[in-house]
Amino acid sequence: MARITASVYTSHVPAIGAALDLGKDHEPYWQKVFAGYEFSRQWLKASKPDVIFLVYNDHANAFSLELIPTFAIGTAAAYAIADEGWGPRPVPEVKGHPELASHIAHSVIQDDFDLTIVNRMDVDHGLTVPLSLMCGRLDPARDAWPCPVIPFAVNVVQYPVPSGRRCFELGRAIRKAVESYDQPLNVQVWGTGGMSHQLQGPRAGLINAAWDNRFLDRLVAEPAALAATPHIEYVREAGSEGIELVMWLIARGAMSDVALSAAGGATGTQARAPRVVHRFYHVPASNTAVGHLILESA
Ligand code: DHB
Ligand code: FE
């Protein structure tokens, strides 16, 4: 059976991708950001995932206001890199895992979550920047990402957005789906976006380090209670784009210490809390607070 062995959480600040692509990562400003991911790059190499289920948000690149799926699962064999206005980032194409993605779509939809199935889409900085942070700079002509990726896009751009509770429960359903896949795959679930930031209006530039760090504490220790946070608190405390953090609750809900069904107890045993193998927080990167966690299943 496939297993979720770890979850990774990270911001996706687009300027980080540009810094890496333009060779600015050793400049003092950016070095402080990339230093927080040195451990993570070694960890990812050692943990050898077979598939990364990558929860992220599209920023009006694959989807426009014409079509706004709340949850969209990529079932394609490959995904092109989006052109966000400066040409596509010089990173490898993203290979998918159509078989596992289709299995997860089947299981999760039968578990009453309405997913949009996407057989063709370009992936933007929401997906490529987390990969770059965890893998370092790769040459698109010679290198490949370490494993196939299943892109899972969440609408956190155009209201109404899904609640944290819905995201957390979706995480459970994703774990149930993965654990019912009949291949011995090592699967990681990544939750991306955040942390506090606001890109627009009078509060542009808002950062709330105290709230962010409490979010990290609670994500580890009391995720079900954290999932009850209403969307308006994210916006008030973490800024309009801080709402991206609900995506972290999908990855956290997929960890093995969270009971498989909302009723609880479906696993039969009380699984242990995950191990925190890495935690990093840094301000600023562009307009954004950078947060990062790696949790391993106990
Ligand atoms: C910035 C952050 C984001 O999450 C994003 O999607 C776009 C821009 C920024 O900090 O500039
Ligand atoms: Fe964003």
Side-chain angles (χ1 to χ4, degrees):
M1 290 300 170
R3 259 183 45 81
I4 295 174
T5 55
S7 53
V8 173
Y9 308 82
T10 179
S11 308
H12 66 215
V13 192
I16 292 175
L20 197 63
D21 300 343
L22 298 170
K24 293 174 181 275
D25 45 315
H26 292 292
E27 292 182 1
Y29 181 92
W30 290 112
Q31 213 284 323
K32 294 191 189 79
V33 175
F34 288 101
Y37 290 82
E38 270 161 26
F39 170 88
S40 313
R41 290 198 295 278
Q42 300 312 317
W43 174 87
L44 184 64
K45 279 202 186 100
S47 65
K48 295 190 173 60
D50 296 309
V51 184
I52 294 167
F53 187 92
L54 205 158
V55 181
Y56 76 109
N57 69 292
D58 176 69
H59 301 75
N61 290 301
F63 307 116
S64 70
L65 291 180
E66 291 177 3
L67 188 142
I68 307 167
T70 303
F71 299 117
I73 186 165
T75 46
Y79 305 89
I81 308 302
D83 182 344
E84 301 186 46
W86 297 270
R89 287 191 60 212
V91 295
E93 179 184 67
V94 174
K95 303 280 187 220
H97 199 303
E99 293 81 14
L100 179 59
S102 302
H103 171 83
I104 293 172
H106 178 87
S107 176
V108 168
I109 290 169
Q110 287 298 315
D111 253 345
D112 304 334
F113 288 89
D114 304 319
L115 306 186
T116 299
I117 293 165
V118 186
N119 287 314
R120 181 174 168 178
M121 80 179 153
D122 294 353
V123 287
D124 75 6
H125 70 269
L127 183 130
T128 63
V129 167
L131 282 173
S132 290
L133 279 167
M134 295 297 293
C135 303
R137 187 187 300 112
L138 298 178
D139 179 343
R142 265 191 295 272
D143 303 325
W145 299 113
C147 67
V149 173
I150 298 175
F152 191 88
V154 179
N155 169 43
V156 286
V157 169
Q158 175 62 37
Y159 278 78
V161 298
S163 69
R165 183 183 292 110
R166 186 83 177 141
C167 289
F168 189 65
E169 285 172 9
L170 175 57
R172 298 183 213 256
I174 289 166
R175 172 168 153 239
K176 182 173 160 194
V178 168
E179 290 184 349
S180 65
Y181 187 65
D182 194 13
Q183 299 285 328
L185 297 180
N186 170 0
V187 180
Q188 292 180 1
V189 182
W190 294 11
T192 66
M195 293 203 84
S196 58
H197 63 305
Q198 171 143 348
L199 303 177
Q200 58 207 309
R203 297 203 309 163
L206 177 144
I207 303 270
N208 186 344
W211 192 91
D212 286 342
N213 276 289
R214 177 112 177 93
F215 184 91
L216 294 171
D217 293 342
R218 298 183 74 203
L219 189 74
V220 174
E222 46 172 33
L226 178 63
T229 305
H231 82 272
I232 199 69
E233 181 178 329
Y234 290 89
V235 177
R236 194 192 315 115
E237 300 294 333
S240 51
E241 278 64 49
I243 191 67
E244 290 179 344
L245 283 169
V246 293
M247 298 186 289
W248 293 31
L249 289 163
I250 297 180
R252 187 63 183 89
M255 294 300 283
S256 59
D257 62 319
V258 178
L260 273 186
S261 76
T267 52
T269 54
Q270 185 67 43
R272 276 180 296 144
R275 276 188 303 276
V276 181
V277 298
H278 188 52
R279 177 170 169 162
F280 174 65
Y281 184 77
H282 175 76
V283 175
S286 182
N287 302 294
T288 307
V290 171
H292 176 39
L293 268 179
I294 300 177
L295 303 183
E296 285 180 353
S297 301

